[in-house]
Each structure stands twice: as structure tokens, then as C-alpha cells.
Amino acid sequence: MSLSAAEDDSRSEIHIPADIDWHMLDKSKFFFLGAALFSGVSAALYPIVVLKTRQQVSSAQISCSNMSLSIMRYEGLRGFYRGFGTSLMGTIPARALYMGALEVTKSSVGTATVRLGFSDTTATAIASAAAGLNSAMAAQLVWTPIDVVSQRLMVQGYNNCNSCKNAISNVHSCRYKNGLDAFRKILYADGPKGLYRGFGISILTYAPSNAVWWTSYSLAHKLIWGGIGCSMGKKDETGVIEGSGFKPDSRAVVAVQGLSAAMASGVSALITMPLDTIKTRLQVLDGEENGVRRPMTVLQTIRNLVKEGGLSACYRGLGPRWASMSMSATTMITTYEFLKRLSAKSQDSLSS
């Protein structure tokens, strides 16, 4: 059954909550609540990111279970949260930039495409792709320096693990006490460019990934509702489809959002994994030339990955990354949609 047919068949039967656009949001509440909610989500998922990062920079294949046991044995629970403070400090402004750029772009591009005569489904896909691309580029301005610092802190624990020491030979030799110390030492040694190491590949990784993710999410969201006979078509001012007889409860809405997010994450993780591995290694590892340690180039990184295992080496850490992206996306999108409804202005505010 096609999406348009499903929408037509269900128009008089079911309705879902109305979309909330940028102009309908209380901005201060949106950003304040967003910082709190997303910080909690980041804390819950951070250990998986540590596992993924250590697997990516390892020159040998180490399973998630062995890596986890090693971290617990030599570093304790604290090892799973190396660099978390730095990551959290960067998450707040990065998320603010991301959500702001996402909503502004989605609203403006969506309006423009509808005026150009595109169907609602096509307009949603175009607006979501543009919003994902723009928001990722905006967030990377803040996130790349935070990524560089937090990832170096993440892999420092290898020096405490005898079984893992030989797995990574090119980890930056400088020792950092904390995020601020790492920031200062990187700035002193390499200048501002040291903090933006891998910025180009980060854009190449996250911008297309976000464009694909948001497009896939919006289409999957519509298709799933269409498949169960639910329409996102003609609604009245309150979001209710005229003549509708059934309203999905909050659990059904969250389930559809979560499933759509997981589907989009699977595709995105597979497509962008090699780029993410290259980016992580560029930000963490150094090369050696005539006895002098220097930042590695993209070509050197690719050559090393080919020597270590070819294409399979590019997919080290795929399991944790897929799990992280799926859980993160599912949690983030449900939190994000919940946040938008918490931050929506009252009808009186909108009409005044």
C-alpha cells in the first residue's frame, strides 16, 4: 500500500499530534530543557562511545566484551567516563546550535518547498535533508574541538592496560590531567588547528549522515503511520484530522518515533562508519617521520587501515557505534519531540 493511499484511507479514522514548528516554540524553555534532557541521555550512552573509540584506534581486533572487562579491571567504572566532563561541557552549546539550526532550516525550507508546489511528503523530505545538513555543519564548529579533547582522554586508559598497550602504538604520548589541561597542551603544541584536527572529515561524516538520517526518519515516520492507517495529512488548527474517530496514545506515538529513529540509524551507521573511523584516528593518533611525531594525514590513515585489515579495519567498533546510534537516536528523537511539546507556546501566546 502506498503512502498516499494509506493517508487517504485513514483520513477520517485516525489522527496524531500536530507538528510543532519553530515559531510555535518558547525558545528559552526549549534550550534550557534541551540542555538538561540531552545531558542525561549523553551520560547514559557515554560508555558505549568509549568502547567504540578504543576499538577504532586499536591496530588489532578486540571484542567489546574483552574491552569492557579490561576497562573494569584496570580502570574501574571511571574508565567508561574518561573525558565525559569535557564532552558534557561541549554538548550544551553544540546541541543548542544543532537544535536551533535544525528547527529554523526545517521550518523555512519546508515552507518554501510547499509554496513551490511540492507535495507534503516531498517537502518534508527536502526540508529534513537540508535541516540535517545545516545543523550538523553548525554543531561541528563547537563539537570538533570537544571531540579531539574528549577522545584523547578516552584512550589514555590504554597505558594502564598491559594487554592493550601494544594494540595502539601511535596514541599521542602527552599525558593529560583533565579536559582543561588537554585543551591547553593541544593549543600550546599545535595551535588552534590542533583542536580542529579532522574538522574536514567530520563535516564529510556528519553532514551527509545527518541529511540521510533526517530524511530517512521523516519518510519512515510517515510510512509507518501510513502502514497502520494513520495520516499526517489535512488537520484542523489543533492537529486533529476532521472526522477522525481514533487518537493514538502517547505510547504508540513514542513507539513509532523510536522505530523510525532506529531504522534511520542503521542505514546511517553502515554508510558513514569508514569515515568515522578515519576521523577518530586523525584526531587521536600521530604518525612518525624521521623520529618526529606529527599529525597523520588522511592518506596515511587509510594506508594504515588497509595494512591492518582492509575494509574490515574500517568497520572496527561498528557494533558499539550501531548500538550507540540506535539507542541515542531513539532516545534523542523521543526526547526531542517531547521537548518540543513541553516548549510549545500556549494558544493565547500564538494568537497575540
Side-chain angles (χ1 to χ4, degrees), residues 12 36 46 80 92 226 325 340 350:
S12 61
Y46 195 78
F80 288 101
I92 295 172
M325 283 187 70
K340 285 172 68 175
L350 289 172

Side-chain angles (χ1 to χ4, degrees), residues 41 57 88 98 100 154 160 183 213 263 292 313 340:
V41 172
V57 300
L88 186 61
Y98 184 91
M154 284 180 200
N160 301 325
F183 183 88
W213 193 96
M263 290 169 63
V292 180
K340 285 172 68 175

Side-chain angles (χ1 to χ4, degrees), residues 5 8 12 24 32 47 50 79 99 117 178 200 211 284 291 303:
D8 290 338
S12 61
M24 301 166 66
F32 178 77
V50 172
M99 291 189 296
N178 49 49
V284 174
R303 277 200 295 266

Side-chain angles (χ1 to χ4, degrees), residues 207-274:
S209 174
N210 269 268
V212 170
W213 193 96
W214 280 103
T215 303
S216 301
Y217 171 77
S218 64
L219 292 176
H221 192 256
K222 280 180 174 287
L223 286 169
I224 292 170
W225 280 122
I228 60 175
C230 187
S231 173
M232 294 182 69
K234 298 176 181 178
K235 307 180 184 77
D236 62 20
E237 292 180 356
T238 64
V240 179
I241 297 175
E242 296 175 1
S244 62
F246 172 70
K247 179 180 180 180
D249 59 22
S250 58
R251 287 176 297 179
V253 173
V254 168
V256 171
Q257 290 170 346
L259 180 58
S260 301
M263 290 169 63
S265 298
V267 176
S268 184
L270 280 172
I271 292 174
T272 62
M273 187 67 202

Side-chain angles (χ1 to χ4, degrees), residues 297-309:
T297 64
V298 173
L299 287 177
Q300 286 174 326
T301 303
I302 294 173
R303 277 200 295 266
N304 287 344
L305 284 168
V306 171
K307 288 179 184 177
E308 292 170 16

Side-chain angles (χ1 to χ4, degrees), residues 3 6 40 42 55 87 90 96 112 125 129 135 143 160 172 196-197 205 226 237 250 272 284 289 299 310 315 343:
L3 176 61
S42 297
Q55 284 190 320
S87 179
S135 59
W143 194 249
N160 301 325
H172 202 280
Y196 279 90
R197 187 190 284 195
T205 301
E237 292 180 356
S250 58
T272 62
V284 174
E289 188 176 332
L299 287 177
Y315 281 88
S343 306

